[in-house]
Amino acid sequence: ELYCCSELKKVNLNGIKFTNSGFSMSVWLNNCEKLQYIDAKGVEWSKIASIDNSFCSLPSLVELDLSGANLSQAGISDCFSEIGSVGTIVKVIGCSATTQNKILNALNTNNSGQTRVLNDGVITRTA
């Protein structure tokens, strides 16, 4: 868990493996004011049951790479709120349509007044 990591600018989570299934990663990356890049494409997402309240309050975020993630069964309540600005991208390349739409819906639901679009495996904040 990285919470209030005030000076961190880049996080590489690529390749993280878990020994057990049903793992909860609530409040995983949260409230990191200067964090710009998160590489999470190689995380063993299929073993995670919940990422509730994760990837929140990241105002400087430029890119979140979730390519290949399988979040179809994971809880993502209140995820992806208050991240980035216009132009911020979330990569969901290689994710199922279910996972892509789940992330897009969470981004659009948890950020009133903001709009994001999905095109070719990349979700971009447009407003």
Side-chain angles (χ1 to χ4, degrees), residues 6 14 16 18 20 26 32 34 53-54 68 70 81 93-94 96 98 107 112 118 123:
S6 61
N14 191 359
I16 290 179
F18 303 101
N20 298 320
S26 295
C32 302
K34 295 183 181 177
N53 298 303
S54 291
N70 178 1
S81 63
I93 300 163
S96 69
T98 301
L107 283 162
S112 61
L118 172 62
I123 299 169

Side-chain angles (χ1 to χ4, degrees), residues 29-105:
L29 278 163
N30 213 331
N31 215 15
C32 302
E33 292 179 10
K34 295 183 181 177
L35 189 58
Q36 297 175 342
Y37 298 94
I38 302 170
D39 180 352
K41 64 181 168 275
V43 173
E44 199 171 21
W45 295 105
S46 61
K47 290 189 176 180
I48 297 173
S50 170
I51 60 168
D52 293 343
N53 298 303
S54 291
F55 304 111
C56 299
S57 299
L58 307 171
S60 300
L61 194 68
V62 173
E63 180 180 303
L64 169 58
D65 193 344
L66 296 171
S67 295
N70 178 1
L71 299 177
S72 59
Q73 300 300 315
I76 63 169
S77 172
D78 295 324
C79 279
F80 311 112
S81 63
E82 300 176 41
I83 63 172
S85 58
V86 172
T88 296
I89 64 170
V90 178
K91 292 182 179 178
V92 290
I93 300 163
C95 297
S96 69
T98 301
T99 293
Q100 288 182 352
N101 288 318
K102 190 173 188 176
I103 293 169
L104 178 62
N105 289 338

Side-chain angles (χ1 to χ4, degrees), residues 106-119:
L107 283 162
N108 283 329
T109 301
N110 295 330
N111 294 285
S112 61
Q114 298 177 12
T115 305
R116 289 175 172 78
V117 295
L118 172 62
N119 189 18

Side-chain angles (χ1 to χ4, degrees), residues 1-8 27-33:
E1 175 178 306
L2 295 171
Y3 183 76
C4 292
C5 45
S6 61
E7 297 303 316
L8 197 60
V27 193
W28 197 20
L29 278 163
N30 213 331
N31 215 15
C32 302
E33 292 179 10

